[in-house]
Coordinates of all heavy atoms in Angstrom, one line a residue:
M22 N 0.8 -1.2 0.0 CA 0.0 0.0 0.0 C 0.9 1.3 0.0 O 0.6 2.2 -0.7 CB -0.9 -0.1 1.2 CG -1.9 1.1 1.3 SD -3.1 0.9 -0.1 CE -4.1 2.3 0.3
K23 N 1.9 1.3 0.8 CA 2.8 2.4 0.9 C 3.5 2.6 -0.5 O 3.7 3.8 -0.9 CB 3.9 2.2 2.0 CG 3.3 2.4 3.4 CD 4.4 2.3 4.4 CE 3.8 2.4 5.7 NZ 4.8 2.3 6.8
L24 N 3.9 1.5 -1.2 CA 4.5 1.7 -2.4 C 3.6 2.3 -3.5 O 4.0 3.1 -4.3 CB 5.0 0.3 -2.9 CG 5.7 0.2 -4.3 CD1 7.0 1.1 -4.2 CD2 6.1 -1.2 -4.6
V25 N 2.3 1.9 -3.5 CA 1.3 2.4 -4.4 C 1.2 4.0 -4.2 O 1.1 4.8 -5.1 CB 0.0 1.7 -4.3 CG1 -1.1 2.4 -5.1 CG2 0.2 0.2 -4.7
F26 N 1.1 4.3 -2.9 CA 0.9 5.7 -2.5 C 2.1 6.5 -2.9 O 2.0 7.6 -3.5 CB 0.6 5.9 -1.0 CG 0.4 7.3 -0.6 CD1 -0.7 7.9 -0.9 CD2 1.4 7.9 0.1 CE1 -0.9 9.2 -0.5 CE2 1.2 9.3 0.5 CZ 0.1 9.9 0.2
A27 N 3.3 6.0 -2.7 CA 4.6 6.7 -3.0 C 4.6 6.9 -4.6 O 5.0 7.9 -5.0 CB 5.7 6.0 -2.5
T28 N 4.3 5.9 -5.3 CA 4.3 5.9 -6.7 C 3.3 7.0 -7.2 O 3.6 7.8 -8.1 CB 4.0 4.6 -7.4 OG1 4.9 3.6 -6.9 CG2 4.1 4.6 -8.9
F29 N 2.1 7.0 -6.6 CA 1.1 8.0 -7.0 C 1.6 9.4 -6.8 O 1.4 10.3 -7.6 CB -0.2 7.7 -6.2 CG -1.3 8.7 -6.4 CD1 -2.0 8.8 -7.7 CD2 -1.5 9.6 -5.5 CE1 -3.0 9.7 -7.9 CE2 -2.5 10.6 -5.7 CZ -3.3 10.6 -6.9
M30 N 2.2 9.6 -5.6 CA 2.7 10.9 -5.3 C 3.8 11.4 -6.2 O 3.9 12.5 -6.6 CB 3.2 10.9 -3.8 CG 2.1 10.8 -2.8 SD 0.8 12.1 -3.0 CE 1.7 13.5 -2.4
L31 N 4.7 10.5 -6.6 CA 5.8 10.8 -7.5 C 5.2 11.1 -8.9 O 5.6 12.1 -9.5 CB 6.7 9.5 -7.7 CG 7.9 9.8 -8.5 CD1 8.8 10.9 -8.0 CD2 8.7 8.5 -8.7
V32 N 4.2 10.4 -9.4 CA 3.6 10.7 -10.7 C 2.9 12.1 -10.6 O 3.1 12.9 -11.5 CB 2.6 9.6 -11.1 CG1 1.7 10.1 -12.2 CG2 3.3 8.3 -11.4
C33 N 2.2 12.4 -9.5 CA 1.6 13.7 -9.4 C 2.6 14.8 -9.4 O 2.4 15.9 -10.0 CB 0.8 13.7 -8.1 SG -0.7 12.8 -8.2
L34 N 3.7 14.6 -8.7 CA 4.8 15.6 -8.6 C 5.4 15.9 -10.0 O 5.6 17.0 -10.4 CB 5.9 15.1 -7.7 CG 7.1 16.1 -7.5 CD1 6.6 17.4 -6.9 CD2 8.2 15.4 -6.7
V35 N 5.6 14.8 -10.8 CA 6.2 15.0 -12.1 C 5.2 15.7 -13.0 O 5.6 16.6 -13.8 CB 6.6 13.6 -12.7 CG1 6.9 13.7 -14.2 CG2 7.7 13.0 -12.0
L36 N 3.9 15.3 -13.0 CA 2.9 16.0 -13.8 C 2.7 17.5 -13.4 O 2.6 18.3 -14.3 CB 1.6 15.2 -13.7 CG 1.6 13.9 -14.4 CD1 0.2 13.2 -14.1 CD2 1.8 13.9 -15.9
S37 N 2.7 17.7 -12.1 CA 2.5 19.1 -11.7 C 3.7 20.0 -12.1 O 3.6 21.2 -12.4 CB 2.2 19.2 -10.2 OG 3.3 18.8 -9.5
S38 N 4.9 19.5 -12.0 CA 6.1 20.2 -12.4 C 6.1 20.5 -13.9 O 6.5 21.6 -14.3 CB 7.4 19.5 -11.9 OG 7.6 18.4 -12.7
S39 N 5.7 19.6 -14.7 CA 5.7 19.8 -16.1 C 4.6 20.9 -16.5 O 4.8 21.7 -17.4 CB 5.5 18.6 -16.9 OG 4.3 18.0 -16.6
F40 N 3.5 20.8 -15.8 CA 2.4 21.8 -16.0 C 3.0 23.2 -15.6 O 2.7 24.2 -16.2 CB 1.2 21.4 -15.2 CG 0.1 22.5 -15.2 CD1 -0.6 22.7 -16.4 CD2 -0.1 23.3 -14.2 CE1 -1.6 23.7 -16.4 CE2 -1.1 24.3 -14.2 CZ -1.8 24.5 -15.4
F41 N 3.7 23.3 -14.4 CA 4.2 24.5 -13.9 C 5.1 25.2 -14.9 O 5.1 26.3 -15.2 CB 4.9 24.3 -12.5 CG 5.4 25.6 -12.0 CD1 4.5 26.6 -11.5 CD2 6.8 25.8 -11.9 CE1 5.0 27.7 -10.9 CE2 7.3 27.0 -11.4 CZ 6.4 27.9 -10.8
E42 N 6.0 24.4 -15.5 CA 7.0 24.9 -16.5 C 6.3 25.4 -17.7 O 6.6 26.4 -18.2 CB 8.0 23.8 -16.9 CG 9.0 23.5 -15.9 CD 9.9 22.4 -16.3 OE1 10.1 22.2 -17.6 OE2 10.4 21.6 -15.5
A43 N 5.2 24.7 -18.2 CA 4.5 25.1 -19.3 C 3.7 26.4 -19.0 O 3.7 27.3 -19.9 CB 3.5 24.1 -19.8
S44 N 3.2 26.6 -17.8 CA 2.5 27.8 -17.5 C 3.4 29.0 -17.3 O 3.0 30.1 -17.5 CB 1.6 27.6 -16.3 OG 2.4 27.4 -15.1
M45 N 4.7 28.8 -16.9 CA 5.6 29.8 -16.7 C 6.3 30.3 -18.0 O 6.9 31.3 -18.0 CB 6.7 29.4 -15.7 CG 6.2 29.2 -14.3 SD 5.5 30.7 -13.6 CE 6.9 31.7 -13.4
A46 N 6.2 29.5 -19.0 CA 6.8 29.9 -20.3 C 6.0 31.0 -20.9 O 4.8 31.1 -20.9 CB 6.7 28.7 -21.3
G47 N 6.8 32.0 -21.3 CA 6.1 33.2 -21.9 C 5.7 33.0 -23.3 O 6.1 32.0 -23.9
S48 N 4.9 33.9 -23.8 CA 4.5 33.8 -25.2 C 5.6 34.3 -26.1 O 6.5 35.0 -25.7 CB 3.2 34.6 -25.4 OG 3.6 36.0 -25.3
P49 N 5.7 33.8 -27.3 CA 6.7 34.2 -28.3 C 6.7 35.8 -28.4 O 7.7 36.4 -28.6 CB 6.4 33.5 -29.6 CG 5.6 32.3 -29.1 CD 4.8 32.7 -27.9
F50 N 5.4 36.4 -28.4 CA 5.3 37.8 -28.6 C 6.0 38.5 -27.4 O 6.9 39.4 -27.7 CB 3.8 38.2 -28.6 CG 3.7 39.7 -28.5 CD1 3.8 40.5 -29.7 CD2 3.3 40.3 -27.4 CE1 3.6 41.9 -29.6 CE2 3.1 41.7 -27.2 CZ 3.3 42.5 -28.4
C51 N 5.7 38.1 -26.2 CA 6.3 38.8 -25.0 C 7.8 38.5 -25.0 O 8.6 39.4 -24.6 CB 5.6 38.3 -23.8 SG 3.9 38.9 -23.6
D52 N 8.2 37.3 -25.2 CA 9.6 37.0 -25.2 C 10.5 37.8 -26.1 O 11.5 38.3 -25.8 CB 9.9 35.5 -25.5 CG 9.4 34.6 -24.4 OD1 9.1 35.0 -23.3 OD2 9.3 33.3 -24.7
S53 N 10.0 38.0 -27.4 CA 10.7 38.8 -28.3 C 10.7 40.3 -28.0 O 11.7 40.9 -28.0 CB 10.2 38.6 -29.7 OG 8.9 39.0 -29.9
K54 N 9.5 40.8 -27.6 CA 9.5 42.2 -27.3 C 10.3 42.5 -26.0 O 10.9 43.6 -26.0 CB 8.0 42.6 -27.0 CG 7.1 42.6 -28.3 CD 7.5 43.7 -29.2 CE 6.5 43.8 -30.3 NZ 6.8 44.9 -31.2
C55 N 10.2 41.7 -25.0 CA 11.0 41.9 -23.8 C 12.5 41.7 -24.0 O 13.3 42.4 -23.4 CB 10.5 41.0 -22.7 SG 8.9 41.5 -22.1
G56 N 12.8 40.8 -24.9 CA 14.2 40.7 -25.3 C 14.8 42.0 -25.8 O 16.0 42.4 -25.5
V57 N 14.1 42.7 -26.6 CA 14.5 44.0 -27.2 C 14.5 45.0 -26.0 O 15.5 45.8 -25.9 CB 13.6 44.4 -28.3 CG1 13.9 45.8 -28.8 CG2 13.7 43.5 -29.5
R58 N 13.4 45.0 -25.3 CA 13.3 46.0 -24.2 C 14.4 45.9 -23.2 O 14.9 46.9 -22.7 CB 11.9 45.8 -23.5 CG 11.6 46.8 -22.5 CD 11.1 48.1 -23.1 NE 10.7 49.1 -22.1 CZ 10.5 50.3 -22.4 NH1 10.5 50.8 -23.6 NH2 10.2 51.2 -21.4
C59 N 14.8 44.7 -22.9 CA 15.8 44.5 -21.8 C 17.2 44.3 -22.3 O 18.1 43.9 -21.6 CB 15.4 43.3 -21.0 SG 13.8 43.5 -20.1
S60 N 17.5 44.5 -23.6 CA 18.7 44.2 -24.2 C 19.9 45.0 -23.6 O 21.0 44.5 -23.6 CB 18.7 44.4 -25.7 OG 18.5 45.8 -26.0
K61 N 19.6 46.2 -23.1 CA 20.7 47.0 -22.5 C 20.6 47.1 -21.0 O 21.3 47.9 -20.4 CB 20.7 48.4 -23.2 CG 21.0 48.3 -24.6 CD 21.1 49.7 -25.2 CE 21.4 49.7 -26.7 NZ 21.5 51.0 -27.3
A62 N 19.7 46.3 -20.4 CA 19.5 46.4 -19.0 C 20.7 45.9 -18.2 O 21.4 45.0 -18.6 CB 18.3 45.6 -18.6
G63 N 21.0 46.5 -17.1 CA 22.1 46.1 -16.2 C 21.8 44.8 -15.5 O 22.6 43.9 -15.3
Y64 N 20.5 44.6 -15.1 CA 20.0 43.3 -14.5 C 19.1 42.7 -15.5 O 17.8 42.8 -15.3 CB 19.4 43.7 -13.2 CG 20.3 44.3 -12.2 CD1 20.3 45.7 -12.0 CD2 21.2 43.5 -11.4 CE1 21.2 46.2 -11.0 CE2 22.0 44.1 -10.5 CZ 22.0 45.4 -10.3 OH 22.9 46.0 -9.4
K65 N 19.6 42.0 -16.5 CA 18.8 41.5 -17.6 C 17.8 40.5 -17.1 O 16.6 40.5 -17.6 CB 19.7 40.9 -18.6 CG 19.0 40.6 -19.9 CD 19.9 40.2 -21.0 CE 20.5 41.4 -21.6 NZ 21.2 41.3 -22.8
E66 N 18.1 39.6 -16.2 CA 17.1 38.6 -15.8 C 16.0 39.2 -15.1 O 14.8 38.8 -15.3 CB 17.8 37.5 -14.9 CG 18.8 36.6 -15.6 CD 18.2 35.8 -16.7 OE1 17.1 35.3 -16.4 OE2 18.8 35.7 -17.7
R67 N 16.2 40.1 -14.2 CA 15.1 40.8 -13.5 C 14.3 41.6 -14.5 O 13.0 41.6 -14.4 CB 15.7 41.7 -12.4 CG 14.6 42.4 -11.6 CD 15.1 43.0 -10.4 NE 16.2 43.9 -10.6 CZ 16.8 44.7 -9.7 NH1 16.3 44.7 -8.4 NH2 17.8 45.5 -9.9
C68 N 14.9 42.3 -15.4 CA 14.2 43.1 -16.4 C 13.3 42.1 -17.2 O 12.1 42.4 -17.4 CB 15.2 43.8 -17.3 SG 14.4 44.8 -18.6
L69 N 13.8 41.0 -17.7 CA 13.0 40.1 -18.5 C 11.8 39.5 -17.7 O 10.7 39.4 -18.2 CB 13.9 38.9 -19.0 CG 14.9 39.3 -20.1 CD1 15.8 38.1 -20.3 CD2 14.1 39.7 -21.3
K70 N 12.1 39.2 -16.4 CA 11.0 38.7 -15.5 C 9.8 39.7 -15.4 O 8.7 39.4 -15.7 CB 11.6 38.4 -14.1 CG 10.5 38.0 -13.1 CD 11.1 37.9 -11.7 CE 10.0 37.6 -10.7 NZ 10.6 37.5 -9.4
Y71 N 10.1 41.0 -15.1 CA 9.1 41.9 -14.9 C 8.5 42.4 -16.2 O 7.3 42.6 -16.2 CB 9.6 43.1 -14.0 CG 9.7 42.7 -12.6 CD1 11.0 42.5 -12.0 CD2 8.6 42.5 -11.8 CE1 11.1 42.1 -10.7 CE2 8.7 42.1 -10.5 CZ 10.0 41.9 -9.9 OH 10.1 41.5 -8.6
C72 N 9.2 42.5 -17.2 CA 8.7 42.8 -18.5 C 7.7 41.7 -19.0 O 6.7 42.0 -19.5 CB 9.8 43.0 -19.5 SG 9.3 43.4 -21.2
G73 N 8.1 40.5 -18.7 CA 7.2 39.4 -19.1 C 5.9 39.4 -18.3 O 4.8 39.1 -18.9
I74 N 6.0 39.7 -17.0 CA 4.8 39.8 -16.2 C 3.9 40.9 -16.8 O 2.6 40.7 -17.0 CB 5.1 40.1 -14.8 CG1 5.8 38.8 -14.1 CG2 3.9 40.5 -13.9 CD1 6.4 39.1 -12.8
C75 N 4.5 42.0 -17.0 CA 3.7 43.2 -17.5 C 3.1 42.9 -18.9 O 2.0 43.3 -19.2 CB 4.6 44.4 -17.5 SG 5.1 45.0 -15.9
C76 N 3.9 42.3 -19.8 CA 3.5 42.0 -21.1 C 2.3 41.0 -21.1 O 1.3 41.2 -21.8 CB 4.6 41.4 -21.9 SG 4.2 41.0 -23.6
E77 N 2.4 40.0 -20.3 CA 1.3 39.1 -20.2 C 0.0 39.7 -19.7 O -1.1 39.4 -20.2 CB 1.6 37.9 -19.3 CG 2.7 37.0 -19.8 CD 2.2 36.2 -21.0 OE1 1.1 35.8 -21.1 OE2 3.1 35.9 -21.9
K78 N 0.1 40.7 -18.8 CA -1.0 41.3 -18.2 C -1.6 42.4 -19.2 O -2.8 42.6 -19.4 CB -0.7 42.0 -16.9 CG -1.8 42.5 -16.1 CD -1.4 42.9 -14.7 CE -1.2 41.7 -13.9 NZ -0.9 42.1 -12.5
C79 N -0.7 43.1 -19.9 CA -1.1 44.2 -20.7 C -1.2 43.9 -22.2 O -1.8 44.7 -23.0 CB -0.2 45.4 -20.5 SG -0.2 46.1 -18.8
H80 N -0.6 42.9 -22.6 CA -0.6 42.5 -24.1 C 0.2 43.5 -24.9 O -0.2 43.7 -26.1 CB -1.9 42.2 -24.6 CG -2.7 41.1 -23.8 ND1 -2.3 39.8 -23.7 CD2 -3.7 41.3 -23.0 CE1 -3.1 39.2 -22.9 NE2 -4.0 40.1 -22.4
C81 N 1.1 44.2 -24.4 CA 1.9 45.1 -25.2 C 3.2 45.5 -24.4 O 3.2 45.3 -23.2 CB 1.2 46.4 -25.5 SG 0.7 47.4 -24.1
V82 N 4.2 45.9 -25.1 CA 5.5 46.3 -24.6 C 5.9 47.6 -25.4 O 5.9 47.5 -26.6 CB 6.6 45.2 -24.7 CG1 7.9 45.7 -24.2 CG2 6.2 44.0 -23.9
P83 N 6.3 48.7 -24.7 CA 6.7 49.8 -25.4 C 8.0 49.6 -26.3 O 8.8 48.7 -25.9 CB 7.1 50.8 -24.3 CG 6.3 50.4 -23.1 CD 6.3 48.9 -23.3
S84 N 8.1 50.3 -27.4 CA 9.3 50.1 -28.2 C 10.5 50.6 -27.6 O 10.5 51.5 -26.7 CB 9.0 50.7 -29.6 OG 8.9 52.1 -29.4
G85 N 11.7 50.2 -28.1 CA 13.0 50.7 -27.6 C 13.4 50.0 -26.3 O 12.7 49.1 -25.8
T86 N 14.5 50.5 -25.8 CA 15.1 49.9 -24.6 C 14.8 50.7 -23.3 O 15.0 50.3 -22.2 CB 16.6 49.8 -24.7 OG1 17.2 51.1 -25.0 CG2 17.0 48.9 -25.8
Y87 N 14.2 51.9 -23.5 CA 13.9 52.7 -22.3 C 12.9 53.8 -22.8 O 12.8 54.2 -23.9 CB 15.1 53.5 -21.8 CG 14.9 54.3 -20.6 CD1 14.8 53.6 -19.3 CD2 14.8 55.7 -20.6 CE1 14.6 54.4 -18.2 CE2 14.5 56.4 -19.5 CZ 14.5 55.7 -18.3 OH 14.2 56.5 -17.1
G88 N 12.0 54.2 -21.8 CA 11.0 55.2 -22.1 C 9.9 54.7 -23.0 O 9.6 53.5 -23.1
N89 N 9.3 55.6 -23.8 CA 8.2 55.3 -24.7 C 7.0 54.6 -24.0 O 6.2 54.0 -24.7 CB 8.7 54.4 -25.9 CG 9.8 55.1 -26.6 OD1 9.9 56.3 -26.8 ND2 10.8 54.3 -27.1
K90 N 6.9 54.7 -22.7 CA 5.8 54.0 -22.0 C 4.4 54.6 -22.4 O 3.4 53.9 -22.1 CB 6.0 54.1 -20.5 CG 7.2 53.2 -20.1 CD 7.2 53.1 -18.6 CE 8.3 52.2 -18.1 NZ 8.4 52.1 -16.7
D91 N 4.3 55.7 -23.0 CA 3.0 56.2 -23.4 C 2.4 55.4 -24.5 O 1.2 55.5 -24.7 CB 3.1 57.7 -23.8 CG 3.3 58.6 -22.7 OD1 2.9 58.3 -21.5 OD2 3.9 59.7 -22.8
E92 N 3.2 54.6 -25.2 CA 2.7 53.7 -26.2 C 1.8 52.6 -25.6 O 1.0 52.1 -26.4 CB 3.8 53.0 -27.0 CG 4.7 54.0 -27.8 CD 5.9 53.3 -28.4 OE1 6.0 52.1 -28.2 OE2 6.7 54.0 -29.0
C93 N 2.0 52.4 -24.4 CA 1.2 51.3 -23.7 C 0.8 51.7 -22.3 O 1.5 51.5 -21.3 CB 2.1 50.0 -23.7 SG 1.2 48.6 -23.0
P94 N -0.4 52.4 -22.2 CA -0.8 52.9 -20.9 C -0.9 51.9 -19.8 O -0.5 52.2 -18.6 CB -2.1 53.6 -21.2 CG -2.1 53.8 -22.6 CD -1.3 52.8 -23.2
C95 N -1.3 50.7 -20.1 CA -1.4 49.6 -19.0 C -0.1 49.3 -18.5 O 0.1 49.3 -17.3 CB -2.1 48.4 -19.6 SG -2.0 46.9 -18.6
Y96 N 0.9 49.2 -19.4 CA 2.3 48.9 -19.0 C 2.8 50.0 -18.2 O 3.5 49.8 -17.2 CB 3.1 48.7 -20.3 CG 4.5 48.2 -20.2 CD1 4.8 46.8 -20.3 CD2 5.6 49.0 -19.9 CE1 6.0 46.3 -20.2 CE2 6.9 48.5 -19.8 CZ 7.1 47.2 -20.0 OH 8.4 46.7 -19.9
R97 N 2.6 51.2 -18.6 CA 3.1 52.4 -17.9 C 2.5 52.5 -16.5 O 3.2 52.9 -15.5 CB 2.7 53.7 -18.7 CG 3.0 55.0 -18.0 CD 2.4 56.1 -18.7 NE 0.9 56.0 -18.5 CZ 0.0 56.5 -19.4 NH1 0.4 57.1 -20.5 NH2 -1.3 56.3 -19.2
D98 N 1.2 52.2 -16.3 CA 0.5 52.4 -15.1 C 0.6 51.3 -14.0 O 0.2 51.5 -12.9 CB -1.0 52.7 -15.4 CG -1.2 54.0 -16.2 OD1 -0.2 54.9 -16.2 OD2 -2.2 54.1 -16.8
L99 N 1.2 50.2 -14.4 CA 1.3 49.1 -13.4 C 2.3 49.5 -12.3 O 3.4 50.0 -12.6 CB 1.8 47.8 -14.0 CG 0.7 47.1 -14.8 CD1 1.3 45.8 -15.4 CD2 -0.5 46.7 -13.9
K100 N 2.0 49.4 -11.0 CA 2.8 49.7 -9.9 C 3.1 48.6 -9.0 O 2.3 47.7 -8.9 CB 2.2 50.9 -9.1 CG 1.8 52.1 -9.9 CD 3.0 52.9 -10.4 CE 2.5 54.1 -11.1 NZ 3.5 54.7 -11.9
N101 N 4.2 48.6 -8.3 CA 4.5 47.5 -7.3 C 3.9 47.9 -6.0 O 3.2 48.9 -5.9 CB 6.0 47.3 -7.2 CG 6.8 48.5 -6.7 OD1 6.3 49.4 -6.2 ND2 8.1 48.4 -6.9
S102 N 4.2 47.1 -5.0 CA 3.6 47.4 -3.7 C 4.0 48.7 -3.0 O 3.4 49.2 -2.1 CB 3.8 46.2 -2.7 OG 5.2 46.0 -2.5
K103 N 5.2 49.2 -3.5 CA 5.7 50.5 -3.0 C 5.2 51.7 -3.8 O 5.6 52.8 -3.4 CB 7.3 50.4 -3.0 CG 7.8 49.4 -2.1 CD 9.4 49.3 -2.2 CE 9.9 48.2 -1.4 NZ 11.4 48.1 -1.6
G104 N 4.4 51.4 -4.8 CA 3.9 52.5 -5.6 C 4.9 53.0 -6.7 O 4.6 54.0 -7.4
E105 N 5.9 52.2 -6.9 CA 6.9 52.5 -8.0 C 6.5 51.8 -9.2 O 5.7 50.8 -9.2 CB 8.3 52.1 -7.5 CG 8.7 52.8 -6.3 CD 10.0 52.2 -5.6 OE1 10.3 51.0 -6.0 OE2 10.6 52.8 -4.8
D106 N 7.1 52.2 -10.4 CA 6.8 51.5 -11.6 C 7.2 50.0 -11.5 O 8.3 49.7 -11.0 CB 7.6 52.2 -12.8 CG 7.0 53.5 -13.2 OD1 5.9 53.8 -12.8 OD2 7.8 54.3 -13.8
K107 N 6.3 49.2 -11.9 CA 6.6 47.7 -11.9 C 7.3 47.3 -13.2 O 8.2 46.4 -13.2 CB 5.3 47.0 -11.8 CG 5.5 45.5 -11.7 CD 4.2 44.8 -11.4 CE 4.5 43.3 -11.1 NZ 3.4 42.8 -10.3
C108 N 7.0 47.9 -14.3 CA 7.5 47.5 -15.6 C 8.7 48.3 -16.0 O 8.7 49.5 -15.9 CB 6.4 47.7 -16.6 SG 4.8 46.9 -16.1
P109 N 9.7 47.6 -16.5 CA 10.9 48.3 -17.0 C 10.8 49.1 -18.3 O 9.9 48.8 -19.0 CB 11.9 47.1 -17.2 CG 11.1 45.9 -17.4 CD 9.8 46.1 -16.7

């Protein structure tokens, strides 16, 4: 009985981890736009993370590597818990 339960739990863990990876993968649109947006960032991984979050939520990313946030008001207006800009 313990072996069956352990096997079941292992299968559930493997399936949930593969689902988690698939859900965390960004869309090709966001990946490419954020790659351009964060190309000159000092902290590229953090820039890509927050840009991806903002892109998924707003469905747009401003052009260029800095500024131009008026092109995407949703992206511009997202704030973190401290009231600062969330999106790079």
Side-chain angles (χ1 to χ4, degrees):
M22 184 67 177
K23 287 183 181 180
L24 181 61
V25 172
F26 182 71
T28 304
F29 175 74
M30 291 303 290
L31 184 62
V32 169
C33 288
L34 180 65
V35 170
L36 290 175
S37 66
S38 67
S39 63
F40 173 75
F41 181 71
E42 284 179 31
S44 68
M45 290 301 291
S48 69
F50 171 79
C51 289
D52 290 347
S53 64
K54 293 288 189 178
C55 289
V57 172
R58 184 80 178 167
C59 297
S60 63
K61 295 183 180 179
Y64 298 99
K65 191 172 282 194
E66 291 299 317
R67 183 168 50 175
C68 180
L69 289 170
K70 175 184 174 183
Y71 287 106
C72 180
I74 291 169
C75 296
C76 178
E77 291 293 325
K78 194 172 280 189
C79 297
H80 306 292
C81 65
V82 175
S84 62
T86 57
Y87 184 78
N89 303 323
K90 289 187 177 182
D91 288 333
E92 294 175 2
C93 185
C95 171
Y96 189 97
R97 176 194 64 210
D98 297 337
L99 285 178
K100 305 290 183 197
N101 64 17
S102 61
K103 296 177 184 176
E105 301 167 343
D106 289 342
K107 181 174 192 156
C108 307

